[in-house]
Amino acid sequence: MTFAEPIAGVRRQVPLLAGLIGLAVIVLAIAFLSITVGARPVTLDTVWAALTAYDPNSTDHRIIWELRLPRTVVGLLVGAALGLAGAVLQGATRNPLADPSILGIHAGAALFVVLGVAVLGISQLSLYVWLAFAGAGAAMLAVYAIASVGREGATPIKLALAGSAMTAALQSIVSAILLTSPRTLDEVRFWQVGSLAGRSMDVVVQVAPFLAIGIVLALASGRMLDGLSMGEDVARALGQNVRRSRAIAGLAAVILAGASTAAAGPIAFVGLTVPHVARAITGPNYRWILPYSMLLAPILLLGADILGRIIAPPGEVQVGIVTAFLGAPFFIALVRRRKLATL
């Protein structure tokens, strides 16, 4: 290795680091915008005053602290979780279609939560989290087991097909429960389509520890995902324990997808689209794809939430519907690409 090679490596990293700083600034800007936009417009000066000198007698200040700020914080956390979960799944499975919603993880989490509400009468978010974890883990294991049948093992196409079939089956069960149980439908109506509306700081407090663990696990798995992206044989030749690496990545994805689903319901396509945008910016290095996905996803999610508030006044369209509307064309374009088999 020549002396010039490390210098060239540092030079390549400087623009990527500057890009991360720029994305962090955009995240802050869209967070402020999320606090100001709604049925009752609030100026930035009022937001700043509410954050620095809260007046409990001010209606605007109460709206900001009790409604807009919790909604924005939940959007930031859920967005980061979905972006990281998608990137980790795509790297661990070498599947460009991998995403918590396509691999059945969201549907599994939703089914267990709906069953908890319908059968056990559960209505506390603290219990939603554990049900969502159990459902997400069970669905992910089932999809991987089904896709592993046969000599080829769990190929990207078999994972996508098994995940799509599992998602359809679980969603049909959820629909059957909701159609026959009006009480359950009333309880989970907006949660089931994916929504940030009505979330309080209690939601943030309950899911934040789980999301923090999942985010740390995901960010720490960058080197392992780089090894897996070169193929199992190359990863083993480099001394990597492939099974353990996939287990860690799968655990991170289940924690992130389960906690985000418990907080905001199943939100599709964010985990699918964002890692591809991040990869287009950074190249194939997962040590950059992961932090870029963590910052790009909240921008997309909060942007979709803001769009949903302004396109149908005086009501609003839930964020899960907006992201599905925006993500479907991207998904179609992705499956029509020639180099779909591997990342």
Side-chain angles (χ1 to χ4, degrees):
M1 183 173 63
T2 65
F3 178 73
E5 287 177 344
I7 297 178
V10 172
R11 286 177 177 172
R12 283 195 297 270
Q13 292 179 0
V14 169
L16 293 175
L17 186 59
L20 276 181
I21 296 171
L23 286 178
V25 173
I26 295 174
V27 169
L28 287 176
I30 202 163
F32 269 100
L33 186 63
S34 172
I35 296 174
T36 62
V37 175
R40 183 185 177 97
V42 178
T43 64
L44 284 175
D45 290 340
T46 305
V47 174
W48 184 253
L51 295 178
T52 57
Y54 175 66
D55 179 4
N57 296 318
S58 169
T59 302
D60 285 342
H61 287 197
R62 291 178 60 191
I63 289 174
I64 290 170
W65 276 98
E66 295 175 10
L67 298 176
R68 304 277 178 83
L69 189 60
R71 180 174 186 160
T72 301
V73 174
V74 170
L76 291 172
L77 292 174
V78 170
L82 292 175
L84 282 172
V88 167
L89 286 172
Q90 290 176 13
T93 62
R94 300 184 67 205
N95 186 343
L97 301 179
D99 163 70
S101 59
I102 293 175
L103 293 184
I105 299 175
H106 277 164
L111 175 61
F112 273 51
V113 170
V114 170
L115 280 174
V117 174
V119 179
L120 304 176
I122 291 172
S123 59
Q124 301 95 335
L125 179 70
S126 57
L127 297 178
Y128 278 19
V129 173
W130 297 109
L131 290 171
F133 284 158
M140 186 171 179
L141 289 174
V143 168
Y144 194 81
I146 294 170
S148 299
V149 175
R151 288 190 303 175
E152 303 88 357
T155 65
I157 295 299
K158 288 170 67 177
L159 279 170
L161 292 174
S164 299
M166 181 66 69
T167 298
L170 296 180
Q171 286 179 341
S172 67
I173 298 173
V174 170
S175 298
I177 295 172
L178 295 181
L179 288 173
T180 55
S181 175
R183 180 186 62 81
T184 306
L185 178 61
D186 289 338
E187 187 78 26
V188 301
R189 178 178 300 168
F190 292 112
W191 175 87
Q192 206 264 335
V193 297
S195 174
L196 301 178
R199 272 43 178 186
S200 66
M201 277 299 178
D202 290 340
V203 174
V204 176
V205 170
Q206 292 187 45
V207 300
F210 301 104
L211 292 176
I213 294 171
I215 288 172
V216 170
L217 269 178
L219 291 177
S221 66
R223 189 179 295 276
M224 293 185 292
L225 295 176
D226 282 335
L228 292 175
S229 67
M230 292 184 285
E232 292 186 7
D233 293 338
V234 176
R236 289 194 183 94
L238 293 173
Q240 186 168 329
N241 187 322
V242 172
R243 184 169 296 180
R244 184 177 62 191
S245 298
R246 283 195 167 141
I248 293 173
L251 178 63
V254 167
I255 292 174
L256 292 170
S260 62
T261 304
I267 297 176
F269 291 114
V270 175
L272 170 68
T273 58
V274 166
H276 288 282
V277 177
R279 193 174 294 107
I281 298 172
T282 66
N285 190 333
Y286 273 91
R287 280 168 285 180
W288 287 106
I289 291 174
L290 292 169
Y292 265 78
S293 297
M294 187 180 68
L295 293 178
L296 284 168
I299 296 173
L300 171 61
L301 190 65
L302 282 182
D305 188 45
I306 294 169
L307 183 62
R309 296 181 215 173
I310 61 178
I311 59 176
E316 61 179 69
V317 180
Q318 304 305 317
V319 67
I321 299 173
V322 179
T323 57
F325 181 79
L326 296 176
F330 185 91
F331 180 77
I332 294 171
L334 184 63
V335 298
R336 289 178 61 85
R337 290 178 59 188
R338 291 183 178 180
K339 297 179 179 179
L340 184 63
T342 59
L343 289 176

